Amino acid sequence: MSLSFRRASLASLGLALGFSAVLLSPLMAQETKPAQPDAAAPAAAPVDPNAVVATINGEKLTEADLALAEGELSQQFAQLPPEQRRAAALSAAIEIRVMAKKAVDSGLDKDADFQRRMAFLQQRALHGEVVEKEVVNKVTDAEVRARYDQEIANTPPVNEVHARHILVKTKDEAEAIIKQLDGGADFQKLANEHTSDPSGKSNGGDLGWFGPGQMVPEFDKAAFALDVGKYSKEPVQSQFGWHVIKVEDKRAKQPPAFDDVKDQARQAVIRDKYFAMVKELRAAAKVEIADEKLKAAVDTMESAK
């Protein structure tokens, strides 16, 4: 997940943080390494933001205006090849300018509903500026590292199990397999011969490493209760059938590396700083909500943040 925010995305971030109950997933659950940038892509040459790209009805459209259009409309251009996005953005900017002129010529900019909308859009844009300048741009690398260290320290140690299993349809079949194991039979060989789990027929029933909660509850409980090198003396029933389980090894699960989750850690810092700022500003503001039911609903939502 990238934090290369444009102004448009900053406004969306702020609204998402302030007006919805959606929060970031726990940092420790984010173990997928972020996509790496294309090392072969050439660096873009510096562009003069004041350079004129086009004129529309005598008004200049600059590189800065075009960059703003590309940022605001990036989702619409996402499916286009990179070499076409600049042309598409310019075409859209021209379209917007000529249609806007028509709206002004028709007096639509004086409409009361439009004026209210414009006021809201201005406030939303200013909201985005505050998020960018006072929150995102002030997050330091030290704060991000400290948040990562805090999450690691607050996460209880978790053990992982490396196990094998033999899955059969009936309890009697499972008991017969346990008797063979008691007689010295090889677990992997029996798994290859008898398991109904397609993925285990050629690897001795190997399930690899897994942590608590990754298997169905009955299997999970039985596997974590076994000592290393031991197999279940009683068949374990689950929704899939009857299991005979053997634990090959146990280990402490290693936390994700900082570099793998630093973007998630940065977003967590941004989230906390944003909510702290909102809390301070709202406490200082005089807010009155006339509808009591609506006020109660807002208070409930605010208390959940």
Side-chain angles (χ1 to χ4, degrees):
M1 187 177 295
S2 172
L3 289 183
S4 301
F5 290 109
R6 292 187 175 93
R7 292 176 187 267
S9 61
L10 281 168
S12 299
L13 167 69
L15 288 174
L17 289 174
F19 301 148
S20 76
V22 178
L23 299 179
L24 294 172
S25 299
L27 170 62
M28 294 305 295
Q30 305 292 331
E31 296 188 38
T32 303
K33 192 170 184 177
Q36 299 299 313
D38 184 358
V47 175
D48 179 3
N50 297 314
V52 176
V53 180
T55 57
I56 303 112
N57 294 321
E59 294 185 358
K60 297 176 181 179
L61 189 148
T62 66
E63 288 285 358
D65 297 326
L66 184 57
L68 181 60
E70 287 187 78
E72 293 283 350
L73 304 172
S74 59
Q75 288 188 339
Q76 289 89 324
F77 302 149
Q79 302 303 319
L80 291 176
E83 65 272 12
Q84 293 182 17
R85 292 174 191 167
R86 180 174 166 85
L90 178 56
S91 178
I94 293 170
E95 181 181 321
I96 289 170
R97 291 276 183 104
V98 297
M99 294 293 281
K101 183 178 184 305
K102 176 176 174 57
V104 172
D105 291 346
S106 302
L108 296 179
D109 58 323
K110 304 298 192 297
D111 180 80
D113 286 341
F114 174 78
Q115 291 289 337
R116 278 189 291 270
R117 197 157 131 223
M118 281 298 297
F120 174 76
L121 291 174
Q122 182 185 35
Q123 292 164 358
R124 180 177 177 179
L126 289 170
H127 172 279
E129 287 295 303
V130 172
V131 173
E132 179 183 25
K133 301 296 195 310
E134 299 297 324
V135 179
V136 175
N137 289 353
K138 291 188 176 181
V139 172
T140 66
D141 291 342
E143 288 175 316
V144 175
R145 181 71 201 207
R147 181 53 184 261
Y148 168 82
D149 292 340
Q150 175 189 333
E151 292 286 348
I152 298 300
N154 292 343
T155 302
V158 175
N159 288 325
E160 291 182 309
V161 167
H162 177 197
R164 299 177 184 273
H165 81 138
I166 302 171
L167 177 64
V168 291
K169 292 182 179 180
T170 68
K171 184 178 182 181
D172 288 342
E173 291 177 278
E175 289 175 338
I177 288 170
I178 291 172
K179 285 183 180 179
Q180 292 183 65
L181 291 171
D182 290 342
D186 181 73
F187 192 98
Q188 295 185 45
K189 183 178 179 181
L190 290 178
N192 290 338
E193 293 174 354
H194 298 287
T195 188
S196 60
D197 179 359
S199 64
K201 281 188 171 294
S202 60
N203 65 359
D206 194 357
L207 294 168
W209 290 95
F210 56 89
Q214 290 184 249
M215 299 296 181
V216 292
E218 303 88 352
F219 191 101
D220 189 88
K221 180 179 179 181
F224 278 90
L226 288 170
D227 293 329
V228 173
K230 302 298 183 180
Y231 56 87
S232 51
K233 296 295 186 176
E234 296 291 334
V236 177
Q237 186 179 21
S238 77
Q239 65 198 70
F240 302 104
W242 293 87
H243 307 263
V244 180
I245 306 168
K246 181 182 179 183
V247 169
E248 296 286 357
D249 201 359
K250 291 184 179 182
R251 69 183 181 189
K253 184 178 181 181
Q254 294 301 305
F258 173 70
D259 286 342
D260 290 347
V261 294
K262 63 183 178 182
D263 286 340
Q264 285 77 24
R266 183 174 295 276
Q267 287 193 13
V269 174
I270 289 171
R271 178 196 64 189
D272 290 348
K273 284 180 173 288
Y274 175 84
F275 281 131
M277 177 181 287
V278 169
K279 183 177 181 180
E280 179 182 353
L281 293 174
R282 290 193 67 151
K286 184 178 180 180
V287 179
E288 298 178 355
I289 301 174
D291 187 314
E292 289 299 325
K293 288 185 178 179
L294 181 58
K295 180 181 184 304
V298 171
D299 290 343
T300 299
M301 183 177 295
E302 291 301 317
S303 65
K305 291 180 181 177

